[in-house]
């Protein structure tokens, strides 16, 4: 055989022994939380299973500790990943890996695809009986990135207000077993591991379960193992982004088909695989704890805000629209109110200015707050001169007698104090030029809406003209009365002459008698003395009649004196004695002995009595009157006034004069002037008294009442 043939035969023999191509390697990264050796031991049979099921590939297990996982995924040094759900969610978010199956774990012979965390302490540690008591204690977890070995417990603890990072002395054991041992050996006060670890472990031939106390234990039908946290889906088997879907699908099918009796499952201590579960709860947990990948605040764009809060935005916009409408409406209303206010103010000022009386306002400090046009015209002050100034100092500072008018006596200030309106009939105000004028004024309190006094309004009127008119009327009245007295005297002149004649005749006769007596008997001394006494008496009588007459006709000064009315009556009777005698009238005097004196103008009251008495005499002069009696009565009344009655037995009032008795020029007498009663009424009125006709069954009764002092008049 040639060498060439030998080589061909050799090649033919070797060919079936060495494969034509080596199947490509598929690397499955597995979280090695219990050490690489254990990981390879547990998971290599699963890789072999897959290699068998998918012979085109050779599957190998790559154990990765917590820190090696991310670089492996990032650098695509593995094609599939079998890690806990927390790491999976991170890798899913960052490197878009996709779960294709979820592990059906076997815990103490039970298939379970959910798991949780258990928090525990040593059974003999009496200091920690509740989760809350972990605060401040040495707390050990597996690894900061371990879901079941830390993060689940963190969430459970934050539920009772404990942040294990801040509130405990936190340490990490690296593996579940290390945590269990540390707690049992007293190197940690409490610890946390994933569910099933405590049940599966044996330490020194005994289950650690007997030596631990589970804290915050929860119960679930789906998960009959000790746990202190919520439950989450088991480990996912996931494909990396670069791994083909075809391969992934074949791996998924192979995994789902795996029976729990498969040696791979038994080596891995699991029951098989299920379709991939929902890992959203894990996302939620990481979000809640602000853990990667949710440790950075999310970029929240305006669009996101609108999408998320559109209903709030809509409500806010609707609210703003309503507010805008309301604001416009309120603004319009405001403008209308402003206009009305301006109008009212103008009207108010117009009214104030159109009033003839002076009006000004005063605040509680006594300063003027407004001053109307009439007030300006009357006082000569301008509103701007007085507003804000003390009105009392400007207008009201001095009394008529020149003494200062103190503010505390000012009625305007009294109004502030007692809140009572006041009316002052006569006072004095001062003009800007220093002259004064008489005023009547009112001061009315001004109150705010709560009823508190905030000032007062003073309304005043210059009463100079009225006072002048009153004075003129008074003078006119006095003149009239004087004229009437002269006229009365004229009427009485003949009677008077007769009255005077009597004493004068008696004087003359008696003087003659004296002369004769002296001629006949120079020693007739005693008789002459008698006659001279008669002469003296008669001449005194004549003198007093003349005195009365003079007094009656003289013009009286307008001053008041204390007058005894009983005495006036006697004087009047003396004047009219001749008429009384001629008419044959009997005079009855019913005079109050202790009659009060009255403050009056003597001649005027004299005149009233004379008028009434003469009217009575004239009424009784009627030939039909048979009984002729004149009664004059005086009485004290209530101690404050005096009542005077003149009563006659004449025919009484004539019908024609009854209704207008006191009007001037009303008379029933042919020679009468009809002024007597009207003048008398004026006099009594001026004395604040009252003159009236009081009827009478027979004849007429006239009465007048006059106050003792005019300040007693009511
Ligand atoms: P005169 O006496 O000038 O008429 P008076 O004013 O004194 O004016 O009186 C007015 C009228 O009142 C009298 O004319 C008379 O009719 C009536 N009169 C007054 N007093 C009496 C009286 N005592 N009896 C009746 N009538 C009287």
């Amino acid at each position: 055989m040639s060498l060439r043939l030998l080589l061909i035969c050799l090649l033919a023999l070797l060919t079936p022994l060495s494969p034509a191509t080596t199947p490509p390697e598929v690397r499955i990264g597995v979280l090695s939380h219990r050490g690489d050796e254990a990981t390879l031991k547990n998971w290599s049979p699963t890789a072999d299973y897959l290699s068998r099921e998918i012979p085109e590939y050779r599957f190998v297990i790559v154990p990765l500790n917590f820190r090696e996982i991310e670089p492996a995924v990032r650098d695509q040094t593995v094609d599939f990943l079998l890690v806990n759900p927390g790491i999976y969610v991170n890798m899913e978010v960052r490197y878009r890996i996709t779960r294709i199956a979820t592990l059906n774990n076997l815990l103490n012979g039970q298939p379970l695809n959910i798991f949780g965390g258990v928090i525990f302490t040593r059974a003999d540690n009496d200091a920690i009986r509740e989760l809350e008591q972990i605060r401040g204690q040495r707390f050990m977890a597996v690894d900061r990135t371990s879901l079941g070995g830390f993060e689940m417990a963190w969430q459970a603890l934050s539920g009772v207000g404990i942040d294990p990072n801040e509130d405990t002395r936190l340490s990490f054991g690296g593996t579940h077993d290390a945590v269990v041992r540390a707690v049992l050996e007293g190197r940690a006060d409490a610890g946390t591991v994933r569910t099933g670890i405590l049940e599966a472990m044996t330490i020194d031939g005994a289950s650690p379960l007997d030596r631990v106390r589970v804290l915050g234990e929860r119960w679930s039908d789906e998960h009959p193992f000790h746990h202190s946290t919520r439950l989450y889906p088991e480990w996912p088997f996931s494909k990396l982004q670069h791994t083909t879907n075809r391969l992934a699908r074949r791996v998924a099918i192979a995994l789902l088909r795996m029976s729990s009796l498969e040696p791979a499952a038994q080596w891995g201590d699991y029951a098989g695989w299920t379709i991939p579960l929902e890992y959203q709860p894990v996302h939620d947990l990481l979000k809640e704890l602000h853990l990667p990948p949710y440790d950075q605040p999310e970029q929240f764009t305006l669009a996101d805000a609108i999408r998320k809060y559109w209903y709030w935005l809509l409500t806010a916009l609707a609210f703003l629209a309503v507010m805008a409408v309301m604001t416009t409406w309120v603004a319009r209303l405001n403008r209308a109110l402003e206009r009305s206010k301006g109008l009212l103010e103008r009207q108010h000022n117009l009214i104030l200015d159109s009033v003839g009386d002076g009006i000004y306002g005063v605040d509680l400090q006594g300063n003027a707050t407004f001053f109307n046009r009439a007030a300006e015209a009357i006082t000569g002050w301008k509103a701007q001169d007085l507003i804000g100034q003390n009105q009392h100092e400007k207008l009201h500072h001095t009394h008529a007698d020149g003494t200062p008018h103190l503010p505390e006596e000012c009625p305007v200030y009294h109004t502030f104090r007692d809140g009572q309106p006041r009316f002052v009939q006569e006072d004095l105000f001062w003009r800007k030029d220093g002259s004064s004028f008489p005023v009547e004024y009112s001061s009315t309190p001004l109150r705010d809406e709560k009823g508190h006094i905030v000032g007062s309004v003073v309304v005043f009127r210059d009463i100079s003209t009225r006072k002048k008119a009153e004075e003129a009327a008074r003078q006119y009245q006095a003149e009239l009365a004087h004229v009437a007295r002269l006229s009365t005297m004229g009427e009485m002149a003949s009677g008077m002459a007769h009255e005077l004649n009597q004493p004068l005749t008696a004087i003359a006769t008696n003087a003659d008698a004296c002369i004769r007596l002296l001629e006949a008997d120079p020693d007739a001394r005693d008789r002459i003395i008698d006659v001279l006494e008669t002469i003296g008496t008669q001449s005194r009588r004549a003198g007093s009649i003349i005195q009365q007459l003079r007094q009656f006709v003289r013009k009286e000064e307008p001053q008041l004196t204390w007058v005894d009315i009983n005495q006036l009556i006697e004087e009047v009777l003396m004047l009219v004695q001749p008429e009384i005698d001629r008419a044959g009238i009997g005079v009855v005097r019913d005079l109050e002995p202790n009659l009060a004196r009255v403050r009056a103008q003597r001649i005027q009251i004299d005149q009233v009595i004379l008028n009434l008495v003469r009217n009575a005499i004239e009424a009784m002069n009627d030939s039909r009157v048979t009984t002729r009696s004149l009664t004059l009565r005086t009485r004290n009344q209530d101690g404050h006034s005096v009542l005077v009655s003149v009563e006659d037995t004449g025919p009484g009032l004539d019908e024609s004069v009854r209704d207008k008795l006191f009007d001037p020029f009303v008379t029933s007498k042919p020679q009468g002037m009809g002024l007597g009663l009207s003048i008398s009424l004026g006099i009594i009125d001026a004395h604040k008294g009252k003159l009236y006709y009081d009827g009478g069954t027979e004849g007429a009764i006239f009465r007048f009442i006059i106050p003792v002092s005019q300040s007693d008049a009511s």
Side-chain angles (χ1 to χ4, degrees):
M1 190 182 294
S2 69
L3 184 63
R4 202 174 150 209
L5 187 67
L6 186 69
L7 276 173
I8 291 168
C9 287
L10 265 173
L11 271 173
L13 277 170
L14 285 172
T15 303
L17 293 175
S18 60
T21 53
T22 313
E25 192 177 76
V26 176
R27 293 160 66 84
I28 305 169
V30 178
L31 173 64
S32 170
H33 61 111
R34 293 173 77 178
D36 289 356
E37 200 182 325
T39 304
L40 286 170
K41 189 175 148 218
N42 290 347
W43 292 104
S44 291
T46 302
D48 295 344
Y49 166 79
L50 289 173
S51 301
R52 265 200 321 278
E53 291 291 312
I54 310 163
E56 298 93 318
Y57 297 95
R58 192 166 66 84
F59 291 85
V60 294
I61 296 297
V62 180
L64 300 169
N65 68 25
F66 286 107
R67 268 158 295 284
E68 290 167 341
I69 292 169
E70 200 201 335
V73 175
R74 185 186 59 218
D75 302 338
Q76 301 182 353
T77 56
V78 293
D79 306 297
F80 290 95
L81 198 63
L82 180 58
V83 289
N84 75 26
I87 300 172
Y88 162 70
V89 162
N90 259 285
M91 297 302 116
E92 184 189 25
V93 171
R94 292 192 191 159
Y95 301 105
R96 302 234 170 267
I97 70 170
T98 315
R99 62 191 181 274
I100 58 173
T102 293
L103 181 70
N104 212 4
N105 212 344
L106 198 62
L107 285 184
N108 277 9
Q110 280 201 40
L112 281 173
N113 58 5
I114 50 174
F115 76 114
V118 56
I119 304 169
F120 61 97
T121 182
R122 235 167 56 179
D124 57 2
N125 186 351
D126 288 336
I128 307 176
R129 296 199 155 268
E130 309 286 344
L131 274 184
E132 289 87 335
Q133 290 168 327
I134 289 180
R135 186 185 294 279
Q137 304 287 349
R138 292 171 301 165
F139 181 61
M140 186 179 276
V142 179
D143 187 277
R144 188 170 282 288
T145 59
S146 169
L147 181 68
F150 177 55
E151 290 164 355
M152 290 186 194
W154 180 356
Q155 194 204 26
L157 286 171
S158 66
V160 296
I162 296 174
D163 178 350
N165 302 288
E166 307 276 326
D167 306 329
T168 68
R169 284 139 69 194
L170 180 64
S171 61
F172 297 99
T175 63
H176 293 267
D177 294 13
V179 173
V180 177
R181 283 178 203 285
V183 173
L184 291 181
E185 289 163 13
R187 282 181 283 112
D189 300 312
T192 183
V193 291
R194 58 165 286 156
T195 47
I197 296 286
L198 287 174
E199 285 84 351
M201 253 180 100
T202 49
I203 296 174
D204 302 333
S207 166
L209 263 182
D210 303 334
R211 294 165 57 201
V212 300
R213 179 186 305 120
V214 175
L215 301 167
E217 177 138 31
R218 303 183 187 206
W219 308 101
S220 162
D221 291 343
E222 293 173 69
H223 193 81
F225 295 93
H226 291 294
H227 60 282
S228 313
T229 69
R230 289 186 204 157
L231 298 168
Y232 297 84
E234 265 291 359
W235 290 27
F237 195 105
S238 42
K239 84 171 195 64
L240 269 68
Q241 215 182 358
H242 69 271
T243 309
T244 63
N245 284 339
R246 190 167 164 276
L247 174 61
R249 191 166 62 243
R250 295 187 65 188
V251 169
I253 291 167
L255 289 176
L256 292 175
R257 276 175 41 194
M258 186 193 286
S259 139
S260 61
L261 300 173
E262 181 65 40
Q266 285 175 3
W267 277 107
D269 202 15
Y270 61 86
W273 300 86
T274 62
I275 52 160
L277 293 183
E278 168 63 60
Y279 284 80
Q280 189 57 40
V282 185
H283 282 279
D284 294 343
L285 175 136
L286 299 178
K287 266 186 199 158
E288 188 183 326
L289 300 181
H290 303 293
L291 287 173
Y294 300 109
D295 51 346
Q296 300 298 327
E298 280 180 47
Q299 284 291 325
F300 203 59
T301 63
L302 182 65
D304 291 338
I306 293 171
R307 242 192 321 279
K308 187 161 182 191
Y309 299 116
W310 64 269
Y311 42 92
W312 287 113
L313 279 171
L314 210 67
T315 314
L317 279 175
F319 181 71
L320 279 176
V322 171
M323 284 300 288
V325 171
M326 292 281 284
T327 309
T328 318
W329 182 63
V330 167
R332 216 178 269 177
L333 212 65
N334 236 357
R335 278 199 298 277
L337 276 175
E338 282 291 326
R339 273 199 300 277
S340 313
K341 190 172 157 232
L343 197 73
L344 275 176
E345 267 171 11
R346 278 199 298 282
Q347 278 181 354
H348 179 245
N349 287 339
L350 207 69
I351 292 169
L352 276 182
D353 287 342
S354 60
V355 174
D357 289 343
I359 303 175
Y360 64 91
V362 186
D363 65 16
L364 290 181
Q365 283 69 49
N367 297 331
T369 51
F370 62 86
F371 208 68
N372 78 341
R373 211 165 274 171
E376 289 183 333
I378 298 170
T379 63
W381 287 102
K382 287 277 159 226
Q384 65 263 30
D385 297 338
L386 274 193
I387 289 173
Q389 300 288 318
N390 188 297
Q391 48 82 38
H392 183 84
E393 283 170 12
K394 303 279 185 201
L395 301 172
H396 210 187
H397 44 79
T398 310
H399 285 298
D401 59 7
T403 55
H405 192 168
L406 302 174
E408 48 269 30
E409 295 165 359
C410 177
V412 177
Y413 290 90
H414 289 177
T415 301
F416 296 154
R417 279 198 280 282
D418 60 14
Q420 295 298 318
R422 287 191 159 65
F423 180 71
V424 178
Q425 270 191 333
E426 196 174 333
D427 204 339
L428 206 68
F429 273 14
W430 294 83
R431 295 192 187 90
K432 189 179 180 184
D433 62 12
S435 60
S436 64
F437 59 98
V439 283
E440 66 175 22
Y441 67 92
S442 66
S443 169
T444 311
L446 255 183
R447 294 173 192 275
D448 63 13
E449 56 279 8
K450 287 185 188 142
H452 299 140
I453 295 175
V454 292
S456 75
V457 176
V458 178
V459 180
F460 68 94
R461 181 175 293 179
D462 181 348
I463 55 169
S464 312
T465 318
R466 195 181 80 196
K467 285 206 51 138
K468 274 188 202 130
E470 277 173 8
E471 180 57 23
R474 205 191 56 72
Q475 284 216 345
Y476 168 74
Q477 176 83 22
E479 290 293 335
L480 195 64
H482 185 232
V483 170
R485 283 202 300 280
L486 291 181
S487 135
T488 308
M489 284 305 110
E491 288 168 22
M492 291 165 63
S494 72
M496 289 289 184
H498 174 73
E499 193 67 6
L500 274 174
N501 209 26
Q502 275 184 349
L504 291 175
T505 310
I507 291 165
T509 314
N510 281 302
D512 291 345
C514 276
I515 294 165
R516 278 196 300 275
L517 276 171
L518 278 172
E519 283 170 354
D521 178 6
D523 298 327
R525 182 174 171 270
D526 290 345
R527 284 200 49 215
I528 288 170
I529 288 173
D530 285 348
V531 176
L532 284 174
E533 272 173 4
T534 309
I535 290 173
T537 309
Q538 290 302 325
S539 53
R540 273 193 295 278
R541 186 169 165 229
S544 75
I545 290 170
I546 289 166
Q547 173 74 20
Q548 277 304 305
L549 218 66
R550 274 190 60 216
Q551 184 165 326
F552 196 71
V553 295
R554 84 160 194 256
K555 273 194 177 174
E556 190 185 26
E557 288 305 313
Q559 68 236 41
L560 304 172
T561 51
W562 288 106
V563 176
D564 177 356
I565 291 193
N566 283 350
Q567 192 193 333
L568 291 191
I569 288 174
E570 289 302 342
E571 288 168 5
V572 167
L573 285 176
M574 186 193 282
L575 282 176
V576 293
Q577 195 59 48
E579 291 177 41
I580 287 172
D581 291 347
R582 254 202 318 278
I585 294 169
V587 176
V588 178
R589 290 175 172 81
D590 179 11
L591 303 179
E592 171 93 43
N594 298 316
L595 191 67
R597 285 168 177 264
V598 297
R599 208 147 163 77
Q601 277 190 267
R602 185 189 171 85
I603 297 177
Q604 292 195 356
I605 303 299
D606 232 3
Q607 190 172 357
V608 172
I609 298 169
L610 182 69
N611 279 341
L612 297 179
V613 167
R614 291 197 70 237
N615 275 347
I617 295 169
E618 282 169 5
M620 288 189 287
N621 247 340
D622 192 309
S623 55
R624 289 163 296 176
V625 178
T626 47
T627 316
R628 295 180 177 179
S629 169
L630 170 68
T631 306
L632 289 144
R633 248 186 261 284
T634 53
R635 291 285 181 272
N636 283 323
Q637 269 207 331
D638 321 327
H640 293 295
S641 53
V642 165
L643 173 74
V644 181
S645 309
V646 179
E647 306 174 17
D648 64 56
T649 50
L653 280 191
D654 196 290
E655 277 304 319
S656 63
V657 300
R658 187 177 289 269
D659 295 339
K660 40 197 172 135
L661 199 55
F662 293 97
D663 290 354
F665 311 114
V666 171
T667 180
S668 62
K669 300 169 194 167
Q671 279 84 38
M673 295 215 308
L675 282 175
L677 286 179
S678 125
I679 288 172
S680 300
L681 185 74
I683 291 171
I684 297 298
D685 275 354
H687 283 79
K688 305 267 190 312
K690 202 172 145 197
L691 168 66
Y692 56 100
Y693 171 68
D694 202 14
T697 43
E698 182 194 6
I701 304 175
F702 281 86
R703 299 188 204 277
F704 68 86
I705 298 170
I706 184 158
V708 170
S709 140
Q710 285 178 24
S711 60
D712 287 343
S714 57

